Amino acid sequence: METKQFKAESKRLLDLMINSIYTNKEIFLRELISNASDAMDKLYYNSLTDKNININKDNLTIKINADKQKRTLTIEDKGIGMNAEELENNLGTIAQSGSFAFKNENEKKDDVNIIGQFGVGFYSAFMVSKEVEVISKPYGAEKAYIWKSKGAEGYTIEETTKEDFGTTIILHIKEDSEEEKYSEFLDEYRIKGIVKRYSDYIRYPIKMDVTKKELKQGSKDEYEEKTITETLNSMIPIWKKKKSEVTDEEFNSFYTSKFGEFETPIKVIRSTVEGTLNYDLLLYIPSNVPYNYYTKEFEKGLQLYSNGVLIMEKCKDLLPDYFSFVKGLVDSPDLSLNISREILQQDRQLKTIAKNIEKKIKSELEDMLNKNREEYEKFFKTFGIQLKFGVYNNFGIDKDKLKDLLMFYSSTEKKLVTLKEYVTRMKEGQDKIYYACGETVNKIDMLPQVEGVKDKEYEILYLTDEIDEFVLQVLINYEEKEFANVSANNLNLDSKEDKEKLEKLNEECKDMLSLMQETIPEVAKVCFTNRLKEHPVCLTTEGAISVEMQKVINALPNNKTIQAKTLLEINENHAIANKLKSLYESDKEELKKYTKILYAQAKLIEGLNIDNPTEISNLICEMISK
Ligand code: ADP
């Protein structure tokens, strides 16, 4: 018989499992039970629409059997089963191999963490088994197949016989060693404990034959051993239990096994809604970006249950895009089991639930912001960008819902702040919310334009995400305070006298300034400014498009390029001002060269490319060689 090799990724995970030093090996049972339960969900769900499937719901059970003599632990389900091809595909390749590869390389997590925190599924059986056999027969199929593997060498698949449909997994438990007592996984008491701990909520009975010593009838001291079948789980879904009855560990363990997550969530949201519409809600806000979040494969959505029966794995209509990172489930007895996806989308009740879920997530986030700032900041650093897109998308239709959840870095507080906080701190007479854009907080902090505004003791929001300025444009204002880019040329921070003085100066030097402008025609205007303290020059913009926006838009593929209307401003109090004036009198050609250099400087400060680096370099050399 041919021994087949595991796919590379699977082999790596398998090696990890086999040689695992991970202490929490017991989770293998949780994973296998969870698979069994999923398989029965699938079969039951199909039976609702396929009249060829006749099953008695009460027969859908999971059976565990431990045989100490043979050292086998068997888990048997009446689920959908797998044919030869499915055995090959599902067990020869780990389902989420992508995530595994990603975690290992990018996060450099140690092996123990991978096993502990990432839903590892079927392969976890190899932590406790020297050999695993999977015998499976799909419902209605003629043939059954057996998949066998001792781990790293590969696996075999051959035909076999199996009376009933479903899947039986036989684990040949490893021998005990000095460090590990694998025999514990054959112990009834221990197995009961593991099931209770991780799989209590499974909605199918998990049954096990247990031996009990009982007094012989009519005897006072003679015992006999009896085998009775016990149901080990309460079958109450975790999401139907009161929050107070469930420990954090249980919520988290459910999350890792159910949603293939590897790190505990930042927040668990659990609520029961009763009234015209009834439903239970269990939501998780992940603490990290899901590994495939920014790929095409990522699908948002919540699991949808009708009275404990899974009717949809990912119901996307239940989550708005800006909360797409939320994982979890909704269970409502008011939704029909047989509802098709198409009808579901139109379903009024579903829409109401979706609206409520959105409100609930929002209020939980607000709560976190108010009560646990540190946690919220962590959340915002991870998912804030989604909220920003939420504000920006669809022409800002959702902006009012989200604006109070936004945060930006503050020049005075040196941390993330909300718009509300900014506004409550505004100086007397301040009527604008000032912001500056750039790649990093440090770079923004060094912008000449920022210096002047900081000098006047205004708080400035530092925008470092590309989308930030677009977000503010969509918001237009916050509590009627408009947003003002410190690089806008109409910032208007000056006193009346200063303004007049500056206007006078610009008027006097009109001819010189227009000669300079002609030298650099890209620029709409060259003028003196009093907004700068130490710096000689800066670029400002006029109109709706700022330099940062120009950069972002021009970086987009298939987009026409745009040009911000820029102005070159020269510090009226800097020595360079007088130098320029005197050059205008003595050497106009030299003035043109100075202009080009100053403009190149201003562009570099803004992080823009200069079109003529060689020319500028030569000019600078010419100057310093004098
Ligand atoms: P996951 O459950 O996260 O998809 P697993 O490695 O645990 O990953 O299982 C891989 C696949 O094998 C499952 O998605 C499922 O299709 C199939 N499978 C596993 N166990 C069973 C079972 N008991 N019955 C039917 N199919 C199963």
Side-chain angles (χ1 to χ4, degrees), residues 203 237-240 270-273 277-282 302-311 318 328-335 353 357:
R203 52 179 212 98
I238 192 167
W239 59 91
K240 292 223 164 147
R270 161 81 189 91
S271 73
T272 300
V273 177
L277 249 179
N278 302 287
Y279 59 88
D280 286 293
L281 194 63
L282 176 57
L302 299 178
Q303 285 191 333
L304 188 60
Y305 289 79
S306 161
N307 243 339
V309 181
L310 182 69
I311 54 176
L318 285 171
L329 57 89
V330 184
D331 187 355
S332 170
D334 302 331
L335 291 170
I353 296 178
I357 288 177

Side-chain angles (χ1 to χ4, degrees), residues 13 31-40 42 75-77 79-82 86-87 89-91 93-96 119-124 134 136 166-169 257-258 260:
L13 183 57
E31 299 293 321
L32 297 183
I33 289 175
S34 158
N35 282 351
S37 168
D38 289 349
M40 296 199 287
K42 283 179 202 158
I75 297 113
E76 190 182 334
D77 68 58
I80 192 156
M82 288 176 273
E86 285 160 342
L87 280 169
N89 290 338
N90 295 343
L91 308 184
T93 328
I94 145 166
Q96 295 179 327
V120 286
F122 171 74
Y123 285 178
S124 58
V134 182
S136 198
T167 303
T168 303
I169 297 180
S257 67
K258 195 84 182 171

